[in-house]
């Protein structure tokens, strides 16, 4: 299709998708709305885009209009006037798209778009929608691990068992940061190296520029029975929607995995690197303590899922109860 709408918060993935159409940049007309922070600037950018889109390429070999970083699409923040103008423009694009010459392309990219909005519905069927969804934290992490393995392979490198997960735990899930750190790793290891070991990650890898709150910080603190560190690790997650439901699920799963490890098995859903790290926590817990803590978080999860009030407070209270060591007799 000649019209592409690319949505996602990961600007690296969004830009990579756009460049598949932009190519070598011949005929590119770029309107970047990153700094369009008020109604006047947003409408001005829309007028520039409309003018570019409405002007055929004529004798030029190719024309690409790329409206980039449009953070005020439906789903973002914008005034009523901007919303009305966007809907009008979307209908115009939908009407003209079938008649666009083959060498003309239009790209719109931004972090958010409400799929059931009038704007999105107007473009449905005439535009290719490429979406890089945020997803749950563990889904973003799984996707980031797959991405870093792929980028490393392009550099002729492979990770030792569990090291890709360790890499993502340090860098975070931002693709631009991941790509930069993989390139740095290639330089550090030298042209003849083929394998990335855990010690290499420790030596050279740095947290990403857009590093997100690290859920492992919570489970590591629980495993160590460090109440102060556990509460501090919870703080970055406190404002997220569904905090109590998400966190009770994470903590219950962690205790389940520790129970399995304590009994001598390795959970099927546990990465070998994580299993090795978690095994070091077992000396801090008896099997009875782990089972009791897991049972309490199962019960708490049922409460918060059903909509109990003060779920956030209950999570913290139960966590402190779990990590508190019983007095020695």
């Amino acid at each position: 299709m000649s019209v592409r709408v690319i949505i996602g918060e990961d600007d690296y993935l969004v830009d990579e998708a756009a460049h598949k159409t932009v190519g070598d940049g011949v005929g590119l007309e770029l309107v970047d709305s990153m700094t369009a922070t008020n109604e006047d600037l947003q409408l001005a950018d829309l007028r520039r885009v409309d003018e570019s889109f409405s002007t055929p390429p004529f004798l030029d070999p190719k024309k690409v209009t790329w409206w980039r970083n449009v953070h005020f699409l439906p789903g973002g923040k914008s005034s009523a006037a901007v919303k009305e103008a966007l809907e009008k423009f979307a209908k115009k694009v939908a009407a003209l798209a079938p008649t666009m010459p083959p060498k003309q392309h239009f790209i719109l990219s931004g972090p958010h778009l409400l799929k059931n909005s009038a704007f999105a519905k107007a473009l449905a069927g005439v535009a290719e929608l490429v979406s890089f969804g945020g997803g749950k934290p563990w889904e973003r992490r799984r996707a980031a691990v797959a991405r870093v393995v792929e980028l490393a392979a392009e550099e002729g490198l492979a990770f030792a068992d569990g090291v890709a997960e360790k890499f993502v735990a340090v860098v975070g899930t931002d693709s631009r940061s991941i790509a930069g750190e993989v390139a740095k790793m290639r330089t550090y290891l030298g042209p003849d190296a083929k394998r990335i070991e855990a010690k290499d990650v420790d030596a050279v890898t740095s947290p990403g520029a857009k590093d997100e709150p690290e859920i492992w910080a919570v489970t590591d603190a629980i495993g160590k029975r460090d109440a102060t560190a556990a509460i501090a690790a919870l703080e970055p997650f406190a404002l997220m929607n569904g905090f109590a439901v998400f966190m009770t699920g994470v903590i219950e799963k962690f205790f389940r995995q520790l129970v399995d490890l304590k009994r001598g098995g390795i959970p099927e859903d546990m990465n070998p690197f994580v299993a090795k790290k978690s095994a070091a926590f077992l000396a801090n817990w008896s099997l009875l303590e782990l089972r009791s803590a897991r049972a309490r978080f199962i019960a708490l999860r049922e409460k918060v899922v059903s909509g109990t009030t003060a779920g956030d407070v209950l999570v913290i209270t139960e966590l402190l109860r779990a990590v508190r060591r019983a007095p020695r007799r």
Side-chain angles (χ1 to χ4, degrees):
M1 290 185 175
S2 298
V3 178
R4 303 185 75 202
V5 178
I6 308 172
I7 302 299
E9 295 184 25
D10 193 320
D11 60 347
Y12 179 87
L13 295 179
V14 170
D15 287 356
E16 285 289 298
H19 281 298
K20 292 179 180 179
T21 299
V22 172
D24 58 8
V26 173
L28 174 63
E29 294 184 8
L30 177 66
V31 178
D32 195 327
S33 289
M34 175 65 77
T35 58
T37 55
N38 59 48
E39 180 181 295
D40 290 342
L41 293 174
Q42 291 165 3
L43 291 174
D45 280 357
L46 178 51
R47 287 191 294 269
R48 290 172 57 203
V49 169
D50 192 352
E51 181 180 357
S52 176
F53 172 75
S54 303
T55 306
F58 295 116
L59 300 177
D60 296 327
K62 179 182 178 181
K63 179 175 181 180
V64 180
T65 300
W66 182 7
W67 193 10
R68 187 169 181 251
N69 291 319
V70 191
H71 53 86
F72 46 89
L73 294 174
K77 294 182 178 180
S78 62
S79 67
V82 171
K83 290 179 181 178
E84 182 180 354
L86 284 170
E87 290 180 17
K88 183 178 179 180
F89 177 65
K91 292 176 181 178
K92 179 177 182 177
V93 172
L96 295 181
T99 63
M100 289 172 62
K103 57 184 179 179
Q104 181 179 5
H105 302 273
F106 175 66
I107 306 170
L108 185 151
S109 64
H112 307 286
L113 174 60
L114 197 62
K115 292 184 178 180
N116 62 355
S117 64
F119 180 91
K121 290 178 179 178
L123 294 176
V126 300
E128 176 191 4
L129 175 62
V130 180
S131 179
F132 299 101
K136 302 293 185 182
W138 56 89
E139 294 171 339
R140 295 198 299 272
R141 185 164 303 282
R142 189 183 305 121
V145 170
R147 195 175 308 129
V148 74
V149 169
E150 181 181 346
L151 289 172
E154 293 175 2
E155 295 282 355
L157 294 168
F159 286 93
D161 289 345
V163 177
E165 288 80 1
K166 179 182 178 68
F167 182 97
V168 171
V170 175
V171 178
T173 59
D174 174 60
S175 296
R176 195 174 300 280
S177 298
I178 287 174
E181 289 299 312
V182 169
K184 186 169 72 173
M185 181 66 72
R186 172 79 276 180
T187 302
Y188 168 77
L189 292 175
D192 298 328
K194 301 295 183 184
R195 191 175 177 87
I196 303 173
E197 304 287 350
K199 61 182 178 61
D200 301 320
V201 175
D202 292 334
V204 72
T205 304
S206 305
K210 296 183 179 179
D211 196 18
E212 62 182 9
E214 179 52 72
I215 193 63
W216 286 9
V218 177
T219 53
D220 283 359
I222 294 172
K224 296 173 184 176
R225 302 190 78 153
D226 187 333
T228 301
I231 297 303
L234 279 177
E235 186 176 355
F237 297 91
L239 297 179
M240 69 182 291
N241 291 330
F243 164 81
V245 174
F246 167 67
M247 200 55 68
T248 51
V250 167
I251 297 173
E252 183 277 319
K253 178 182 177 181
F254 179 65
F255 280 124
R256 171 174 58 80
Q257 291 175 332
L258 289 186
V259 167
D260 290 344
L261 288 171
K262 192 77 171 178
R263 296 175 62 188
I266 296 180
E268 293 182 359
D269 58 349
M270 197 174 220
N271 181 274
F273 166 74
V274 180
K276 182 179 179 180
K277 182 177 68 170
S278 297
F281 301 141
L282 297 180
N284 300 324
W285 299 85
S286 70
L287 183 58
L288 178 60
E289 286 176 321
L290 292 172
R291 284 174 168 167
S292 298
R294 185 194 174 201
R296 290 197 296 270
F297 272 94
I298 289 175
L300 179 56
R301 180 172 175 79
E302 292 177 355
K303 288 182 180 179
V304 297
V305 168
S306 65
T308 186
T309 58
D312 299 3
V313 175
L314 292 175
V315 170
I316 295 173
T317 302
E318 198 60 74
L319 177 59
L320 292 174
R321 178 183 178 186
V323 300
R324 183 182 58 207
R325 294 179 184 271
R328 293 184 179 274
R329 296 183 178 180

